[in-house]
Amino acid sequence: MPDGFAMPAPGHEIRRRSHEVSWHVSAVRVPRDEAGHAGLVHGLRELRARILYDGGRRPDFRAADGSHIDDQDLDYGAWHFVARRTPDGPALGYVRLSPPEINAQFQTRAYLGDEGFERLLTAAGVEAGAAYEPSRLVVEHRARKLGLGAHLSAVAIGAARHLGAELMMVTSGTADGQDQFLGRLGFHAVPGTRRYVERYTEDVVVLVHRTDDGAGEYADLAVQMRSHFPEFTTETLAPPIPAAVDHGAAPAGLRTAQRPDRQVWQPVVLEPVHAADHATLAALLESDAVREVHDTIENQVHELIRCREPGRRFDRAELAAKVDEQLAGTEIWAYGSWVWYPWSGRLVHVLPREEFRLVRTDRNREKIQRPQQRRLLDCRIGIVGLSVGNSAAITLALQGVGGAFRLADFDALSLSNMNRLRAGVHQLEVGKAVICARQLFEIDPYLDVEIIPAGLTADTMDQFFDGGGSPIDLLVEECDTPFVKIAAREHARALGIPVVMDCNDRGMLDIERFDLEPDRPLLHGRVGDLRAADLAGLTDQGKVELLLRMVDAERISPALAAALPEIGRTLCSWPQLASDVALGGALVTEAARRILLAEPCESGRFYIDLEALIAPEHNTALRTSV
């Protein structure tokens, strides 16, 4: 066998489903004698140690000369699994599987001592020859959160089962939640084994797994890996960091292509019956600015006619006569408005404003009658926070609840927002207020929309609430900054403006009718007499604690409660789902409709918890008599 780390690995590629990452896994067993494998083992140790060093978090894995060290006798006689994205790509993950023949070197034995190790086997009722130990599961930072850790763990479990394992034991760190992760694979902590280990700078615990019990959430994957194990094996492994590949120079077009304008958000509405607009439309069409022309005005006019007389069936001649009557001598190309959306280059032909809205909201009737619809379109709604607030804004606009919107958010769209914010990848790094304004105008180009891209601050508060003489009628508050939450409510209460907030957890809806209750305590009294001015210098922990007071910490969902201590450790921020955000948009819109139409809608906190409501006790089908 060659003494090196340079031969390409045949390995085996596994793609579980079309939407999942495929990993190329290679496996090699290093014999117990060290002859001829120094280069291979050195490369594996360097890979592991560099990842475990983690930028200095575990300093014991780096030598004084800057090299990374993880020398363990356990490497000889063990199976080594390396995962890559492509057969000749860099190593991105690794796990070791030690068979019972070398259990004298097991990390579990070293951790528990010989007596403790034997007691563990006795308690499990397993012979030493049926116990295997996975260890040193490491994944490069750039490949984390892609399922590679689960994939390699399933590989180790599947291989162990193929080799005859009845029990698997492992020493696991806890700082990154690795013990919890292994729990999802069917491992269980051994009571009394958790303690701090200086080398790893964290608590370590022993976990065990009976192979007959299946691999928990990854049982199917482990079964698949068991059947593929023989295909992983090879005589050696490709180097963890292959030679650089020359991909050539970037295509010139990537540097010279036109960059989008991330600031523009207002459409241009042109009525060609006016000479100035006619000239502007002609010039626009002669330019390169228009990429698409959408003209469906004839069908829109037909739909308008049918909306006015829904019970009548028109033959072709009657419909043509009605169209002529509607146009009243105007050529159809010049009827209504041409709307140019500069961010997309689209030029769209639509009905005149009143006719457009009559048709667009026609299916609201009987739930919202036309006089009510007109009243709602006369209202101005302010929305703060346009991640969760985006759903509310879109739903409000779709339903015609509000004809004017004032939007405030300082942030830009990031990729991690796209699990809940309806936007496309081409809008990354575009301001959330800009994105929302564009979306509203694409629903109704006749809306009155203003944006405050600096967000709601002490400097923009008056502008947001009053707008130079155009005050908002309702505030939708969806931000996660305590100062803004308190300050916005202080202003709303002083001005008699009702506030609606969705919490996107358990369907929590907050309504504060400051228009009817000018002395009502903020957030139903849950923050006492706290004022925005008192929040200067509030620490991050203090902000979290205050937010929990605002939303009733004892009533949040179990999933969110479990996530809170993981924020900053295994989670970047609060978990939020698109389904919860979409529900919140519906709840906010329903509350806004009732408030703006002066229908019954009292102050309070309400829960529309789908997990609780979609349950057997609420299943009306079960009560239907046969």
Side-chain angles (χ1 to χ4, degrees):
M1 196 174 295
D3 180 6
F5 211 69
M7 289 183 62
H12 189 71
E13 181 175 278
I14 293 292
R15 181 186 290 274
R16 290 161 60 198
R17 300 184 183 91
S18 61
H19 62 274
E20 295 179 338
V21 176
S22 60
W23 301 106
H24 188 277
V25 178
S26 299
V28 64
R29 185 176 185 184
V30 175
R32 296 180 70 175
D33 66 90
E34 301 185 13
H37 295 87
L40 171 63
V41 172
H42 175 77
L44 293 171
R45 289 172 172 176
E46 176 77 14
L47 168 69
R48 293 185 325 229
R50 181 173 47 78
I51 299 173
L52 287 166
Y53 177 68
D54 198 14
R57 178 180 160 194
R58 301 182 185 93
D60 283 358
F61 287 92
R62 188 173 186 179
D65 63 1
S67 62
H68 295 94
I69 52 172
D70 185 29
D71 296 349
Q72 291 186 308
D73 292 341
L74 195 58
D75 289 325
Y76 290 94
W79 285 95
H80 303 269
F81 300 85
V82 174
R84 313 165 193 266
R85 290 292 286 271
T86 60
D88 56 353
L92 297 174
Y94 166 90
V95 69
R96 179 177 61 197
L97 179 66
S98 302
E101 295 85 349
I102 57 172
N103 69 28
Q105 285 81 44
F106 275 14
Q107 292 188 156
T108 314
R109 183 186 287 274
Y111 183 83
L112 295 174
D114 290 339
E115 291 185 7
F117 182 80
E118 296 300 332
R119 283 198 301 271
L120 179 61
L121 290 175
T122 301
V126 174
E127 296 292 333
Y132 284 66
E133 183 186 72
S135 57
R136 287 298 192 261
L137 172 65
V138 292
V139 175
E140 292 276 18
H141 275 280
R142 65 181 182 275
R144 293 181 184 178
K145 311 299 183 184
L146 298 176
L148 179 52
H151 193 94
L152 280 169
S153 297
V155 166
I157 293 172
R161 292 202 66 183
H162 179 90
L163 295 168
E166 296 177 19
L167 185 75
M168 301 181 72
M169 54 185 69
V170 62
T171 54
S172 170
T174 58
D176 295 328
Q178 188 174 17
D179 55 327
Q180 299 174 33
F181 162 71
L182 290 171
R184 294 164 54 198
L185 285 143
F187 284 81
H188 305 281
V190 177
T193 62
R194 179 166 177 160
R195 69 173 184 267
Y196 183 80
V197 176
E198 184 67 32
R199 177 170 169 78
Y200 299 105
T201 67
E202 61 183 301
D203 281 1
V204 171
V205 65
V206 173
L207 305 173
V208 295
H209 165 70
R210 290 186 177 275
T211 56
D212 285 345
D213 291 343
E217 297 176 24
Y218 299 95
D220 292 344
L221 180 58
V223 170
Q224 185 184 10
M225 295 301 103
R226 179 184 182 181
S227 65
H228 286 294
F229 170 63
E231 302 166 37
F232 295 144
T233 59
T234 181
E235 292 187 355
T236 188
L237 297 172
I241 303 177
V245 177
D246 183 4
H247 295 99
L254 292 178
R255 297 188 300 271
T256 60
Q258 182 179 355
R259 294 293 185 257
D261 186 339
R262 293 193 173 100
Q263 308 301 320
V264 63
W265 54 275
Q266 293 171 296
V268 177
V269 181
L270 302 170
E271 299 178 18
V273 293
H274 303 302
D277 284 1
H278 183 287
T280 301
L281 178 61
L284 189 61
L285 288 165
E286 291 175 2
S287 73
D288 295 329
V290 176
R291 292 198 287 269
E292 300 174 7
V293 176
H294 299 263
D295 187 359
T296 61
I297 196 67
E298 187 173 352
N299 286 335
Q300 293 177 48
V301 173
H302 290 172
E303 195 170 4
L304 170 64
I305 291 165
R306 294 189 178 97
C307 285
R308 286 186 170 137
E309 300 182 68
R312 182 175 173 185
R313 291 183 175 275
F314 298 96
D315 60 28
R316 184 173 299 180
E318 290 172 331
L319 185 59
K322 282 289 185 180
V323 169
D324 289 342
E325 179 183 333
Q326 182 66 39
L327 298 180
T330 302
E331 292 187 54
I332 195 165
W333 75 266
Y335 181 69
S337 301
W338 284 90
V339 184
W340 180 52
Y341 295 100
W343 53 88
S344 66
R346 296 187 181 103
L347 182 65
V348 186
H349 196 180
V350 296
L351 294 169
R353 188 182 75 166
E354 299 307 322
E355 288 80 358
F356 175 88
R357 288 178 167 172
L358 185 151
V359 176
R360 201 188 71 76
T361 63
D362 186 65
R363 297 287 292 274
N364 286 359
R365 286 193 302 145
E366 297 308 317
K367 291 194 171 184
I368 302 176
Q369 301 293 11
R370 281 180 178 151
Q372 295 176 313
Q373 197 77 73
R374 287 191 286 272
R375 285 172 58 190
L376 290 171
L377 287 168
D378 281 339
C379 296
R380 186 180 304 275
I381 298 175
I383 305 176
V384 183
L386 293 163
S387 285
V388 174
N390 178 276
S391 177
I394 297 301
T395 309
L396 287 162
L398 286 170
Q399 197 160 301
V401 179
F405 294 88
R406 191 168 292 142
L407 313 172
D409 198 311
F410 68 91
D411 203 7
L413 179 71
S414 63
L415 188 56
S416 62
N417 295 141
M418 292 185 65
N419 76 320
R420 62 195 183 278
L421 198 159
R422 189 181 72 85
V425 292
H426 62 287
Q427 293 169 305
L428 289 169
E429 296 188 16
V430 177
K432 292 176 183 176
V434 169
I435 290 172
C436 191
R438 291 175 177 180
Q439 291 171 331
L440 297 184
F441 279 127
E442 288 175 352
I443 292 168
D444 181 348
Y446 298 111
L447 289 172
D448 178 358
V449 180
E450 305 162 77
I451 70 170
I452 302 179
L456 195 57
T457 66
D459 294 332
T460 62
M461 198 73 67
D462 291 338
Q463 175 192 357
F464 178 81
F465 277 93
D466 183 63
S470 301
I472 60 174
D473 300 294
L474 176 84
L475 169 63
V476 177
E477 188 276 295
E478 296 292 358
C479 70
D480 54 10
T481 305
F483 169 81
V484 176
K485 285 183 172 293
I486 299 297
R489 283 170 172 78
E490 288 175 344
H491 275 71
R493 182 170 61 182
L495 297 170
I497 296 171
V499 179
V500 179
M501 176 184 73
D502 145 58
C503 188
N504 64 86
D505 181 64
R506 293 193 61 213
M508 192 198 92
L509 176 69
D510 236 33
I511 301 172
E512 296 168 275
R513 296 299 304 269
F514 296 128
D515 53 326
L516 304 179
E517 304 167 82
D519 299 319
R520 183 174 183 82
L522 305 184
L523 288 157
H524 319 297
R526 282 166 173 76
V527 296
D529 296 327
L530 187 69
R531 299 171 61 246
D534 301 329
L535 300 180
L538 192 64
T539 64
D540 289 344
Q541 182 60 33
K543 292 176 183 178
V544 171
E545 292 172 358
L546 180 55
L547 288 170
L548 289 175
R549 284 171 59 191
M550 293 179 180
V551 299
D552 286 340
E554 67 278 6
R555 300 197 67 175
I556 62 177
S557 67
L560 181 56
L564 290 177
E566 297 300 316
I567 295 173
R569 194 171 79 93
T570 62
L571 297 175
C572 294
S573 188
W574 313 89
Q576 295 173 298
L577 297 178
S579 54
D580 292 330
V581 172
L583 173 63
L587 299 178
V588 165
T589 299
E590 175 62 15
R593 182 188 67 80
R594 295 187 189 186
I595 291 169
L596 296 174
L597 291 176
E599 295 181 358
C601 189
E602 64 182 16
S603 295
R605 178 160 289 179
F606 308 91
Y607 289 86
I608 299 84
D609 188 346
L610 295 185
E611 186 170 351
L613 292 175
I614 304 175
E617 60 267 29
H618 299 291
N619 186 351
T620 60
L622 296 178
R623 305 190 202 110
T624 304
S625 58
V626 179

